[in-house]
Amino acid sequence: MKKAVSALLIAILLLTFYNYQKPMLSIEEAIVQAHGYLKNPSSEIGVSVQAIQVELDAVPTENITLALRQQEGFLNELFNHQQWEVTISYEDVIPTVVMDAVTGEVLDIRGPLN
């Protein structure tokens, strides 16, 4: 019985460590996914965004900024959930795409969008 409880505790501990240190999207992947969200905006976000017509290669690198931040909320802080905030400036429009740093799922799109 002691061995079973010890094995269970070790398994929970390993799962917790893995969950705390999940592999995140790289900078390049975050930029490409953010551009994809702006190019093909989903209605699930709840923000009306016009699809951009600018290709990613046409945007200068100084017009792209990234920030890796902690997601808000007690459980997010406890489990170390991070989010990418990618801002792509083009044609006097400065949207910021906020997405989960692990899955790449869009959480929000902010900023001047038109």
Side-chain angles (χ1 to χ4, degrees):
M1 183 67 169
K2 240 182 183 182
K3 289 182 184 181
V5 171
S6 296
L8 181 64
L9 288 177
I10 289 173
I12 291 172
L13 186 65
L14 290 175
L15 184 63
T16 302
F17 283 141
Y18 174 76
N19 193 25
Y20 193 78
Q21 292 295 328
K22 285 183 182 176
M24 289 191 275
L25 294 174
S26 67
I27 293 173
E28 294 83 12
E29 291 171 332
I31 293 171
V32 169
Q33 282 201 344
H35 182 265
Y37 286 128
L38 293 173
K39 194 165 185 84
N40 300 315
S42 172
S43 61
E44 298 172 0
I45 303 168
V47 177
S48 62
V49 180
Q50 290 182 344
I52 65 170
Q53 305 302 322
V54 177
E55 292 300 320
L56 190 56
D57 297 337
V59 179
T61 55
E62 56 268 2
N63 290 359
I64 300 173
T65 58
L66 285 102
L68 183 63
R69 301 191 194 283
Q70 182 80 38
Q71 287 186 16
E72 294 179 3
F74 175 73
L75 288 178
N76 289 329
E77 291 177 11
L78 181 67
F79 291 114
N80 194 33
H81 291 167
Q82 303 285 322
Q83 67 186 20
W84 278 112
E85 294 181 4
V86 183
T87 304
I88 301 175
S89 304
Y90 61 93
E91 300 175 358
D92 297 331
V93 180
I94 309 171
T96 300
V97 178
V98 181
M99 62 185 140
D100 188 281
V102 175
T103 63
E105 178 183 336
V106 68
L107 301 173
D108 191 18
I109 297 179
R110 300 184 268 209
L113 303 173
N114 51 16

